Structures are given as structure tokens and as C-alpha cells.
Amino acid sequence: MTGLDLSGIARVVEDLVLLDTVQFSRPGIGAPVFDQDTGEYIYPQDEILYEGRGAVQVASSPGGVSSLPLPNLPWSDETTSRYRALTPLSAPIAERDMLVTVVAIHPGGDLALLGRQWRVTDPSVAGTLSAVRITALDQVQQTREGSA
């Protein structure tokens, strides 16, 4: 008995949905180094594990406020922004805390996605019957360049 073959459906979904270019990277390891010439910190370079076809979409569930207490605050001021990345099944399974960045947008796409980053909250989903790989994301509220 043979199983259900979704490879034809996967190609159709990829052609209809995976229109942008996404990058999955592992944050660079090590402390930033202060550059005397520019007066800015230089962070270790990220390790790129995948760059190719993909899409980033808002997940169906709404975001919320984290409940991690900070000094003098009973809650965290960072919200959870639930998104998901879709990539071909040939893309590697993302690891928790990897960064996902939209690096190119298809013609007519949402330019507001360019350069935005998300953090992988769980390893990519892998299943017996899949047409694309789905990865749970949380939008990064502040990038390294925006940090002081």
C-alpha cells in the first residue's frame, strides 16, 4: 500500500504562496566589540542557515502581553506578536531562537515586511502530510541596531 503523495500539491502551494525571500539565521555568538572609529558596537555576524523562497503571515491567534515581571513593573511591556513563516519542505527545520528576516518582496507585496525580524519560538513543524514547512514566530520588537 502506498501513502498519499503531496509533492504535486506542495509545488502548487509554493508557487502561489512562497513569493518572498526569507532568511533564517542563528545569532552570532560573543559579546559586541566597541569600534573606536565609529563610536558604535559591532555585533558578531549571524550564521545564515537558509535563504530562499518563503512567506511570513500573521498567525490566527492574537498577541498578548508577557507576564515576566521587571523591576517596579508587575508585567513586561513587550507584547507577543504571533506570526508564522512558511518555507518549502526542503528548507531546514528551524531551531528555537533563530532569527527570520524578510530580505526581498515579490512585486506588489507588502514593503513593510522588508528588514523586519522575527524570533523562532518553537522548532519548525514537521509532519507526515505537509505541503510546506510552518515555523512559529514572535516579532522582534527592537533590533540590535535600535538598542542603545
Side-chain angles (χ1 to χ4, degrees):
M1 181 174 178
T2 61
L4 185 59
D5 180 6
L6 294 181
S7 58
I9 294 172
R11 284 190 296 276
V12 170
V13 172
E14 288 177 18
D15 290 342
L16 292 174
V17 178
L18 307 184
L19 304 176
D20 298 328
T21 303
V22 296
Q23 182 182 85
F24 284 63
S25 60
R26 190 177 287 134
I29 297 173
V33 176
F34 185 73
D35 184 337
Q36 296 287 343
D37 296 332
T38 63
E40 295 181 358
Y41 282 95
I42 299 174
Y43 288 83
Q45 193 161 1
D46 294 345
E47 176 187 2
I48 298 171
L49 297 171
Y50 172 78
E51 185 170 324
R53 296 177 72 175
V56 173
Q57 299 177 334
V58 174
S60 59
S61 57
V65 176
S66 299
S67 61
L68 299 173
L70 296 173
N72 300 325
L73 288 178
W75 65 89
S76 169
D77 57 355
E78 286 247 347
T79 60
T80 301
S81 303
R82 289 183 170 83
Y83 285 78
R84 61 182 172 204
L86 306 176
T87 53
L89 293 174
S90 59
I93 292 178
E95 303 165 2
R96 183 178 170 91
D97 292 329
M98 288 177 74
L99 295 174
V100 175
T101 308
V102 176
V103 296
I105 301 294
H106 68 282
D110 187 356
L111 294 175
L113 289 172
L114 273 177
R116 287 172 79 176
Q117 286 190 319
W118 293 265
R119 186 169 311 283
V120 173
T121 58
D122 287 312
S124 298
V125 175
T128 304
L129 297 174
S130 298
V132 293
R133 188 165 316 289
I134 301 171
T135 305
L137 306 174
D138 179 23
Q139 185 172 313
V140 175
Q141 302 296 326
Q142 185 174 17
T143 62
R144 290 182 188 178
E145 291 75 25
S147 304

